[in-house]
Amino acid sequence: MRILRNLSFWIAVGVVVLIIAYGATGGAIRRETWFTVLLFVGLASSLNILLGYTGYVSFGHIVFFGFGGYIGFWAIDTLGMNLWLAALLGGLVSALLALGLGLAILRLRGAYFALATIGILEAMKALVINIPALGGPNGMELNFSVYRGYGGAATALWMVYWSVAAIALIVVITSYIVKKSKFGLGLMAIREDEDAAEIMGVVAPRAKTWAYVISAFFPGILGVLFFFKQGIIEPGSAFRLQLSIEMLVMVMLGGSGTVLGPILGAGAYQILRGTLLTSDLELLGMKVKDIQLAVAGVLLLIIVLFIPVGAIGWLRTRSATLRRILE
Amino acid sequence: MILEVKNVSKVFGGLTAVNDVTFDLPEGQILGLIGPNGAGKTTLFNCLNGVYPLTRGTVTFRGQVLSGLPTYKVADLGIARTHQIVRPLNELTVRENVMVGACFGRENHKLGEAEEIANEVMEFVGLAARADMLAGSLNVAQKKRLEMARALAARPYLLLLDEVLAGLNVTEVSQMLNTIRAIRDQGVTIIMIEHIMHAVMNVSDRIIVLNYGTLIAEGSPVEVQANQEVIEAYLGDPDLAARLLEEERG
Amino acid sequence: MIDQLLASVTDGMLVGVVYGLAAMGLTLIFGVMNVINLAHGPIMALGMFTVYLAYTSLGLNPFLGLLLAAGLGLILGVIIYWGAVHRVIDAPHLSSLLSTFSVNMIIIGIGTAIFSTSFRNVDYSLGIVTIGPITVPGTRFTSALLALGITGLLYLFLYRTRPGKYVRAVSDNRTSAGLMGIASNRVLALSFGLGTMLAALAGGLIAMALPFTILSGGSYELKSFVIVVLGGLGNPIGALLGGVILGLIEGLVPVFTKITWVPVIEFVLFVLILLVRPQGLFGAKQ
């Protein structure tokens, strides 16, 4: 494999491994924090394949996390399916959903595509509320005895940590391979100028759809793992537009279209939020932790206005060496 | 015949941009496509490679009817083109731009092979020194050459060149003409849209002339230059007419 | 059954006109500068709170409170334009989506800290209006009339006044408008302000009819998206008609099936229209 000789590959993998190791070596509280980071590393890196490489702004990407999560959860709850099988099932149904949707909505460009993805997220949420088999508006709850099959709740939590960590690592490796592949070159050509890319022979409809499918597959798996850990799933938490936009923010923060960007973006965003939420500082007479959303908004605004390429994107413009080792 | 264009028309709303154009192109020739501004030359290119669906008529390329095929299919069959208004993939490097042509064009190369082809082609058009720069940072003349390089990297049977000489200085024009001849000598058939008359007359095997979307003349450069209708058509465009007449005298 | 249908249709149309007013704000901004304002919902919520606070603290008649809401919406819009939109107006779509979303976060963040997320309502009544067999609350009837009136004023402004004509010129072609000496940045700021003013006004009108929280704007923002797509992105009159259609769906669907199917129908319709008729139901074919 040619990519194994690239320093930039090992840097990306190394960062994820460091996050995994740090999260695993400090007890349950630290694990929970870094579990969330790893979850978002997986989600943001998946989104990046569509958003960063292909240039399609999916505002409702969390729909694949929620949909996969729902189907997997349902399979565990009512069919008694094994978690691993259910996770794979969640990934596959999300990928399938993306395949069907992609053929239709990837014809739309720019703002129209972004709006359509919001519509799909909201339609899916409203639909699930109307399906009694999926628990309707109240969702579903796992019977506690399910965790016994995985060595009890405490062991199950560690198990989910390691599996989310593994998926995050796989997503990052996939993301790297895609970026360095002929497929990825086609995607980036589409991002820069779709019509020109097609004139050069890039089969854009096919390439975009595959990018969409890959970027939906992993969130589907992560959804099953996440909601299995929660033990409860309901429409509001599975299809949250807010979360979808946070994924976008993480990608932007680190650098859209780079492999490292979404990893650092996810980490920085979660750390920032944790810091703000526990901060005792006051600003204009208001406690920072009460207005953490507003503070995060100001920071996002500053980044969008002044460093639109994100942290890694910016570093890559600084020197040829950085460009080579930070992918 | 590598290309047969039969009764091709393109109508936008009420405007007929290309009107019942018919011509054939034998393999290995350079065909000059000239005509005043707005004559429908670029529109004709867009009809040939599938950017626009045809209103009427057929285009047959190497025995296959192209009508209705998407642009990427046309590229796959072996037609490559450059754009009059350059369209570099700005955030990709020059090498990556050229590799897109090699990877997805007619020969569908793997990444590694595409890189070798890209290096060759960049050498050929004189962009080798800028291979690792972002395409967006090139100047216009370099971007024109990049357009050319991307098209060549596809190793097309037919190359459509849309004003690749515009904006180049005298030396650059003669370099580019040599490049175009060299491409033809490799067996590639070429159609070139051009406004620089001496250049197009010099390099073309045959010329066709469009005016208001209609094909008004066809023949060798000498025949076309003598054609009364062509001269009248250009009189609507005083600049070009003057130049054309001057060239004839000189 | 007939009576119930008639009541639902009336109700739906009255609410729909107000939805349409909000959506008009969104579509105006999109039409002029190709920006989808993701701070639309929070600005509607600010309109609601302006009317509410003017009424409860200052004892101001809610319809006068609307004037305050309009002024605030206009000023806020101009500030948002210069602070968050101006720099990214020619950048890729994602930039303006995220910059206006960051404004959304700022407003919601501060708003939640000040107002919490508990429900408020403007306890103000104009009695009951009876038209034939139908009775509707007076405030709702007046709100709908006002929304129509504001739409009329907007059109007078856009077609009869100089700044209005500038807005249309810039919307048509920013570069050539600039070449003809129109200070397009100021016109853009004004357009953004007009868009947010309409959002704040619609919020104020909704506050008179329904209970709300600082987060309520979010769901109305989604409704505005649906309406804007129904009517065609960038088409203000289309937005008004789209609003009426949405209002009718909300009024009529519950007569036949469970109310929870309303959003399913709305959003499926929304996606279908984007796919089949991206120019909207009333737009000319491209």
Side-chain angles (χ1 to χ4, degrees):
Chain A
M1 285 292 276
R2 213 169 130 193
I3 60 164
L4 295 181
R5 292 203 299 267
N6 289 353
L7 181 57
S8 58
F9 174 75
W10 293 109
I11 289 179
V13 167
V15 171
V16 183
V17 169
L18 276 179
I19 294 177
I20 295 173
Y22 183 76
T25 51
I29 293 174
R30 192 196 282 176
R31 181 196 65 205
E32 287 310 290
T33 310
W34 292 88
F35 168 82
T36 314
V37 171
L38 287 166
L39 180 72
F40 277 106
V41 167
L43 290 175
S45 295
S46 301
L47 174 63
N48 187 40
I49 293 173
L50 184 71
L51 172 79
Y53 298 170
T54 323
Y56 276 71
V57 182
S58 177
F59 249 78
H61 216 66
I62 206 74
V63 74
F64 299 113
F65 176 76
F67 183 67
Y70 248 100
I71 299 298
F73 201 97
W74 171 81
I76 295 170
D77 193 35
T78 49
L79 305 181
M81 192 185 271
N82 170 292
L83 172 65
W84 314 117
L85 222 53
L88 188 63
L89 176 72
L92 289 175
V93 293
S94 282
L96 214 60
L97 178 67
L99 183 65
L101 287 175
L103 292 172
I105 65 168
L106 284 165
R107 287 186 289 124
L108 301 170
R109 299 208 183 159
Y112 290 85
F113 178 79
L115 279 177
T117 61
I118 296 180
I120 284 162
L121 173 68
E122 294 297 328
M124 185 62 86
K125 175 158 87 181
L127 184 67
V128 165
I129 289 175
N130 283 292
I131 299 177
L134 295 179
N138 303 318
M140 295 175 284
E141 212 168 324
L142 277 185
N143 191 318
F144 204 69
S145 65
V146 167
Y147 297 107
R148 249 179 262 146
Y150 303 90
T155 316
L157 285 179
W158 275 109
M159 194 184 67
V160 172
Y161 177 81
W162 289 110
S163 17
V164 166
I167 299 293
L169 192 59
I170 292 171
V171 179
V172 168
I173 292 172
T174 307
S175 160
Y176 192 96
I177 293 174
V178 167
K179 187 164 187 197
K180 291 292 178 183
S181 70
K182 177 175 164 177
F183 170 58
L185 183 64
L187 295 182
M188 290 184 279
I190 291 171
R191 176 189 70 200
E192 294 300 315
D193 185 337
E194 187 164 344
D195 295 326
E198 286 196 327
I199 288 169
M200 284 187 269
V202 179
V203 186
R206 194 169 67 201
K208 288 188 291 189
T209 306
W210 278 113
Y212 199 41
V213 167
I214 295 172
S215 76
F217 175 66
F218 295 109
I221 296 178
L222 290 169
V224 180
L225 295 171
F226 177 79
F227 288 106
F228 170 81
K229 172 174 177 283
Q230 296 297 100
I232 179 169
I233 187 167
E234 40 102 14
S237 62
F239 303 103
R240 240 173 78 212
L241 182 60
Q242 176 84 21
L243 212 58
S244 217
I245 296 175
E246 282 178 1
M247 280 163 71
L248 282 165
V249 172
M250 291 174 210
V251 175
M252 281 291 281
L253 206 63
S256 154
T258 66
V259 177
L260 269 174
I263 307 172
L264 297 188
Y269 189 84
Q270 293 304 333
I271 291 168
L272 177 73
R273 186 157 69 178
T275 315
L276 289 178
L277 275 173
T278 54
S279 158
D280 288 327
L281 283 174
E282 287 203 1
L283 202 71
L284 306 171
M286 286 179 280
K287 288 214 179 81
V288 162
K289 65 180 166 198
D290 292 337
I291 54 163
Q292 54 99 6
L293 192 65
V295 177
V298 172
L299 288 173
L300 173 62
L301 186 59
I302 291 171
I303 287 163
V304 174
L305 294 183
F306 301 103
I307 326 167
V309 290
I312 298 296
W314 182 79
L315 282 174
R316 276 171 62 87
T317 62
R318 303 319 292 171
S319 83
T321 315
L322 287 175
R323 218 181 142 72
R324 196 167 49 78
I325 62 168
L326 301 179
E327 196 51 75
Chain B
M1 291 295 149
I2 188 170
L3 183 77
E4 295 161 58
V5 177
K6 263 204 195 78
N7 307 108
V8 165
S9 295
K10 177 68 199 171
V11 181
F12 297 103
L15 176 83
T16 305
V18 173
N19 186 11
D20 201 28
V21 168
T22 299
F23 67 91
D24 289 339
L25 180 57
E27 199 159 346
Q29 281 199 354
I30 297 179
L31 176 71
L33 171 53
I34 64 171
N37 284 325
K41 303 183 294 292
T42 298
T43 308
L44 181 59
F45 267 16
N46 285 336
C47 290
L48 296 185
N49 82 327
V51 173
Y52 297 145
L54 304 180
T55 310
R56 276 183 299 279
T58 52
V59 176
T60 312
F61 176 66
R62 292 166 52 90
Q64 177 155 11
V65 176
L66 297 184
S67 322
L69 293 183
T71 48
Y72 50 80
K73 191 72 196 147
V74 174
D76 197 43
L77 290 172
I79 298 183
R81 77 175 283 183
T82 69
H83 295 93
Q84 180 187 2
I85 297 159
V86 291
R87 299 178 80 160
L89 308 171
N90 286 323
E91 297 292 318
L92 299 184
T93 63
V94 170
R95 182 182 285 113
E96 285 167 335
N97 265 268
V98 181
M99 282 167 69
V100 172
C103 276
F104 299 97
R106 179 176 70 81
E107 290 185 340
N108 260 302
H109 286 286
K110 294 206 182 90
L111 219 48
E113 300 158 357
E115 189 167 349
E116 282 167 33
I117 294 173
N119 290 340
E120 261 171 53
V121 173
M122 285 185 297
E123 193 70 49
F124 184 68
V125 301
L127 277 176
R130 321 220 169 251
D132 293 310
M133 286 173 66
L134 289 184
S137 66
L138 297 179
N139 67 32
V140 175
Q142 292 162 343
K143 282 178 180 165
K144 292 244 168 193
R145 264 183 271 161
L146 176 60
E147 286 275 331
M148 187 83 138
R150 288 197 312 205
L152 285 179
R155 303 258 169 91
Y157 296 120
L158 173 63
L159 180 59
L160 308 177
L161 300 177
D162 197 347
E163 293 203 34
V164 283
L165 303 178
L168 304 188
N169 65 33
V170 181
T171 335
E172 288 167 336
V173 165
S174 73
Q175 280 171 357
M176 192 61 112
L177 287 181
N178 288 334
T179 308
I180 292 170
R181 281 199 200 91
I183 296 165
R184 193 255 324 262
D185 294 343
Q186 293 171 1
V188 179
T189 311
I190 296 171
I191 306 182
M192 60 187 296
I193 294 176
E194 207 39 80
H195 272 308
I196 303 180
M197 283 305 148
H198 72 86
V200 71
M201 295 298 168
N202 192 310
V203 81
S204 300
D205 297 301
R206 264 190 337 140
I207 305 268
I208 57 176
V209 189
L210 277 188
N211 191 26
Y212 294 111
T214 308
L215 197 135
I216 56 166
E218 182 178 4
S220 70
V222 179
E223 286 163 2
V224 166
Q225 271 169 308
N227 185 306
Q228 196 57 38
E229 212 179 335
V230 175
I231 295 169
E232 274 169 24
Y234 272 99
L235 283 177
D237 194 341
D239 262 4
L240 278 170
R243 255 191 283 160
L244 195 67
L245 292 172
E246 196 176 333
E247 277 160 19
E248 252 186 327
R249 266 183 242 117
Chain C
M1 183 68 182
I2 292 290
D3 277 1
Q4 195 192 353
L5 273 181
L6 216 56
S8 301
V9 167
T10 318
D11 226 39
M13 284 182 68
L14 293 179
V15 175
V17 173
V18 179
Y19 288 170
L21 186 69
M24 222 182 284
L26 199 65
T27 214
L28 179 75
I29 292 173
F30 185 86
V32 175
M33 62 196 93
N34 245 308
V35 167
I36 295 177
N37 175 21
L38 289 182
H40 183 71
I43 289 165
M44 287 180 74
L46 288 182
M48 296 172 184
F49 272 87
T50 308
V51 171
Y52 168 79
L53 291 175
Y55 181 59
T56 52
S57 324
L58 307 174
L60 206 60
N61 180 301
F63 288 102
L64 289 175
L66 279 178
L67 286 176
L68 274 182
L72 180 84
L74 183 66
I75 294 167
L76 206 58
V78 173
I79 295 173
I80 293 171
Y81 175 80
W82 286 115
V85 179
H86 180 63
R87 256 187 93 94
V88 291
I89 195 156
D90 290 318
H93 271 291
L94 182 59
S95 301
S96 60
L97 285 167
L98 287 181
S99 75
T100 53
F101 184 73
S102 62
V103 174
N104 176 318
M105 289 165 77
I106 295 167
I107 297 176
I108 293 297
I110 296 174
T112 313
I114 297 176
F115 301 118
S116 81
T117 53
S118 52
F119 275 99
R120 318 289 169 103
N121 67 311
V122 178
D123 192 12
Y124 178 81
S125 168
L126 282 178
I128 297 283
V129 176
T130 310
I131 318 162
I134 310 157
T135 56
V136 288
T139 45
R140 197 167 284 202
F141 186 74
T142 321
S143 293
L145 281 185
L146 266 178
L148 285 176
I150 295 166
T151 309
L153 286 178
L154 177 72
Y155 266 77
L156 277 181
F157 173 78
L158 288 177
Y159 285 84
R160 289 275 181 268
T161 69
R162 187 171 286 264
K165 285 176 183 168
Y166 288 168
V167 169
R168 289 192 298 127
V170 170
S171 159
D172 198 42
N173 188 330
R174 201 188 313 156
T175 320
S176 21
L179 290 175
M180 286 155 80
I182 297 175
S184 62
N185 287 333
R186 262 187 267 169
V187 175
L188 290 173
L190 172 69
S191 314
F192 204 94
L194 283 174
T196 51
M197 182 184 86
L198 294 174
L201 276 169
L205 290 173
I206 290 170
M208 284 183 238
L210 296 164
F212 58 90
T213 74
I214 186 75
L215 303 178
S216 296
S219 63
Y220 293 107
E221 180 172 314
L222 286 172
K223 286 187 210 298
S224 289
F225 285 154
V226 178
I227 294 166
V228 157
V229 166
L230 282 172
L233 275 163
N235 176 355
I237 282 294
L240 195 67
L241 295 172
V244 173
I245 293 177
L246 196 78
L248 286 176
I249 292 175
E250 292 194 351
L252 285 174
V253 170
V255 179
F256 301 102
T257 178
K258 282 202 316 196
I259 193 164
T260 47
W261 282 99
V262 170
V264 182
I265 295 169
E266 282 174 2
F267 287 108
V268 169
L269 191 67
F270 168 78
V271 175
L272 285 180
I273 288 181
L274 271 176
L275 290 175
V276 183
R277 264 190 87 85
Q279 73 275 33
L281 291 178
F282 317 108
K285 196 145 175 59
Q286 282 161 334

